[in-house]
Amino acid sequence: MNPKWILYAVIAVGIAVFLLLRMRAQSAASKQAHAAVAAGALLVDVRTPEEFAAGHIEGAKNIPVDAVQRRIGEFGNKKRTVVVYCRSGARSSAAKRILESNGYAQVINLGPKSAWEPAPPEVRHEADRDHVVAALARDQRIGIVER
């Protein structure tokens, strides 16, 4: 067997394991976030106002990540649980760090907005969804999937 193919196989398995672990972590964060919000946690969308206007989780408050420090008073009691989310998880991670550095002990990083409502793994992220759509279009062209 060609050593290149072994390397490719190891890389493919590594990517698959990474994606599986990421999906499990998002599922756990989603369950934790749902329970916290049901118990009265503050739900905060840290995306831009434009992204928020294009669609957000019902009941969420919009405080963009670059305004979290300046608007810290809007988060209220430091003992209250806060759930933060964004598009990919990067900005919500930054917001979580800011809140924790300001004394908020109960901050849950939901990560991407898409983690709130579980979707099939193949369409969980926008990039994945685009990939699936392209793959289905290709499969239709070559006759694997009926139109």
Side-chain angles (χ1 to χ4, degrees):
M1 183 175 243
N2 186 338
K4 282 185 180 179
W5 288 108
I6 293 172
L7 177 62
Y8 294 147
V10 168
I11 290 170
V13 168
I15 291 170
V17 168
F18 169 78
L19 292 174
L20 179 63
L21 292 174
R22 184 175 177 189
M23 284 179 2
R24 280 191 177 169
Q26 285 182 347
S27 176
S30 179
K31 288 177 186 175
Q32 185 183 20
H34 275 281
V37 170
L42 175 64
L43 180 61
V44 181
D45 184 328
V46 298
R47 300 174 303 154
T48 65
E50 295 79 17
E51 289 173 295
F52 183 80
H56 57 274
I57 298 170
E58 185 176 339
K61 179 175 189 164
N62 183 225
I63 302 177
V65 69
D66 59 356
V68 169
Q69 184 67 51
R70 184 175 69 253
R71 295 173 59 184
I72 202 76
E74 294 181 45
F75 289 88
N77 186 334
K78 292 183 180 185
K79 293 181 180 180
R80 183 180 185 190
T81 301
V82 178
V83 176
V84 292
Y85 73 90
C86 62
R87 185 186 60 81
S88 68
R91 289 175 283 182
S92 56
S93 292
K96 182 179 194 275
R97 284 191 302 274
I98 294 166
L99 289 166
E100 288 174 340
S101 71
N102 279 277
Y104 289 83
Q106 298 295 322
V107 183
I108 298 169
N109 179 10
L110 173 62
K113 175 180 162 266
S114 60
W116 183 254
E117 296 176 346
E122 65 271 17
V123 294
R124 185 167 298 267
H125 299 290
E126 292 172 22
D128 292 340
R129 184 173 36 251
D130 293 344
H131 173 74
V132 169
V133 169
L136 285 172
R138 180 203 65 226
D139 292 349
Q140 288 175 345
R141 281 194 309 273
I142 61 175
I144 296 174
V145 177
E146 292 183 17
R147 293 180 183 209

